[in-house]
Amino acid sequence: MNILVSGSLAYDRIMDFPGKFSDHILPDKIHILNVCFTINGLAENFGGTAGNIAYALSLMGETPTILATAGRDFEPYRNWLTQRNISTQHIKIIPEELTAGAYITTDKSDNQITAFNPGAMKYSSSFHFDAIDAQKALAIVAPGNLGDMVNFSNTYKRKGIDYIFDPGQSLPAWTKELLTDLISGSKIFICNDYELQLTQEKTAMAVEDILEKTKTLIVTKGEYGSVVMQRENNKIRSTDIPIAKAHQVNDPTGAGDAYRAGLIKGLASSNHDIIHAAKIGAVCAAYCVEVYGPQNYHFTYESFNERFGATFGEKAF
């Protein structure tokens, strides 16, 4: 199966402030804010939706193709991906830009101040689909360059390639018409419960209407698991997928991307249905939340199957 993963590549730079922001911000002077926070240190993690999804897929034995852009500082990230047998051939480098970066400062009360530089993500990537066999391909359109999200979705529909549409944090950027069009024709529309509400407000569509545009709606609900919804005989069938229990919860960053990777792995295996695929996603997400950073967890086929069996009473792969 040729798995196409489009979205963002980014450096996540996490900083810890040893105090509270509220002790240094005067409410009556907020209009002339000028503050400096001295941090304890900085931790850099590889991230971005495309990178996170591809990383998890590589742990499950897949060799996904990343369709994204990166900047002149991409070399360390490239080496990381290459060491994990993830091709970087179709990552477009924008030499005049830096790779997208999130700069996140967290205080002792878990308040956060984040600055995001889209950098190279402002530019569209490019990929020639002529050599892709539509019957042997599966794609995900994850949050990234908006032009790519539109162009790739349209290409997949035109070529008959099954694709998962995952708007995520890009949702505020879409008009009613564009968002409706991107959902239409997708194999799966996936979002969290807040994003579903935002989608419904933007498009004025109920769940029933969304399921007339896409074959399957998957809604993730954090600690409450996820739900898979499909239309059958003019009725909606909903299946609740429980979480796989984490040994400890350290950082939820990237858990949604891990879930999506597990889902894709299940769909790429012809003997697995959508429910089983969602269960694989749940277990993959559990590994992610146990560590800090979206690409710092590890598992083997054996350990994954063991954990999957303990949760769902069957084999994952």
Side-chain angles (χ1 to χ4, degrees):
M1 180 69 71
N2 198 334
I3 299 174
L4 306 173
V5 181
S6 64
S8 60
L9 292 167
Y11 289 106
D12 294 335
R13 297 178 172 103
I14 313 298
M15 295 160 279
D16 291 321
F17 176 57
K20 296 182 179 180
F21 295 143
S22 58
D23 293 336
H24 300 269
I25 298 175
L26 302 176
D28 60 332
K29 300 293 184 182
I30 195 74
H31 61 291
I32 52 171
L33 184 64
N34 187 357
V35 295
C36 176
F37 300 112
T38 301
I39 60 172
N40 281 335
L42 181 148
E44 182 176 84
N45 288 299
F46 302 118
T49 55
N52 295 343
I53 294 169
Y55 171 78
L57 282 167
S58 74
L59 293 179
M60 292 180 280
E62 298 293 338
T63 54
T65 299
I66 296 177
L67 313 181
T69 53
R72 60 180 180 270
D73 58 344
F74 183 61
E75 199 59 26
Y77 203 158
R78 185 196 302 278
N79 293 337
W80 168 262
L81 295 172
T82 300
Q83 290 165 10
R84 281 142 192 86
N85 296 317
I86 301 171
S87 173
T88 61
Q89 178 182 358
H90 300 290
I91 296 172
K92 183 178 179 180
I93 302 301
I94 312 297
E96 62 271 26
E97 293 282 357
L98 295 172
T99 302
Y103 301 80
I104 306 165
T105 305
T106 306
D107 74 357
K108 287 297 184 182
S109 298
D110 287 330
N111 296 307
Q112 290 185 327
I113 296 176
T114 301
F116 181 74
N117 171 35
M121 202 178 77
K122 295 185 298 227
Y123 296 80
S124 293
S125 58
S126 55
F127 183 75
H128 298 291
F129 293 90
D130 296 341
I132 299 296
D133 183 346
Q135 302 306 310
K136 298 179 180 179
L138 176 62
I140 182 167
V141 178
N145 178 273
L146 300 182
D148 281 346
M149 295 179 74
V150 172
N151 294 335
F152 290 151
S153 294
N154 289 337
T155 299
Y156 297 145
K157 280 184 274 199
R158 188 172 67 250
K159 290 185 171 292
I161 296 173
D162 285 338
Y163 76 96
I164 300 166
F165 179 55
D166 171 25
Q169 60 264 37
S170 76
L171 268 172
W174 302 112
T175 63
K176 173 183 178 179
E177 291 74 21
L178 267 175
L179 182 56
T180 302
D181 186 61
L182 289 165
I183 295 170
S184 300
S186 61
K187 178 182 179 70
I188 298 169
F189 173 45
I190 186 168
C191 58
N192 63 32
D193 44 2
Y194 173 79
E195 291 161 354
L196 175 61
Q197 182 178 342
L198 184 57
T199 297
Q200 291 178 289
E201 290 176 357
K202 268 185 167 284
T203 63
M205 288 195 294
V207 167
E208 293 82 357
D209 302 317
I210 292 172
L211 282 169
E212 289 181 354
K213 305 290 184 183
T214 185
K215 293 180 180 179
T216 304
L217 170 63
I218 298 179
V219 183
T220 58
K221 300 180 178 182
E223 63 181 309
Y224 300 105
S226 58
V227 59
V228 177
M229 288 178 273
Q230 295 177 304
R231 182 183 289 276
E232 291 184 356
N233 300 321
N234 294 321
K235 293 183 179 180
I236 295 176
R237 178 170 66 92
S238 295
T239 304
D240 291 322
I241 310 295
I243 63 166
K245 187 172 181 176
H247 299 313
Q248 66 277 326
V249 177
N250 283 318
D251 180 14
T253 305
D257 295 329
Y259 181 102
R260 285 148 177 77
L263 177 70
I264 293 167
K265 172 64 178 179
L267 294 173
S269 303
S270 58
N271 59 327
H272 292 151
D273 62 17
I274 186 77
I275 303 304
H276 188 89
K279 291 176 181 178
I280 296 175
V283 173
C284 196
Y287 278 101
C288 184
V289 301
E290 291 173 348
V291 301
Y292 288 98
Q295 295 182 36
N296 292 329
Y297 58 97
H298 305 276
F299 55 75
T300 64
Y301 249 62
E302 292 74 19
S303 64
F304 194 100
N305 262 318
E306 182 179 342
R307 189 163 186 173
F308 190 93
T311 303
F312 295 110
E314 55 185 318
K315 282 189 175 182
F317 311 118

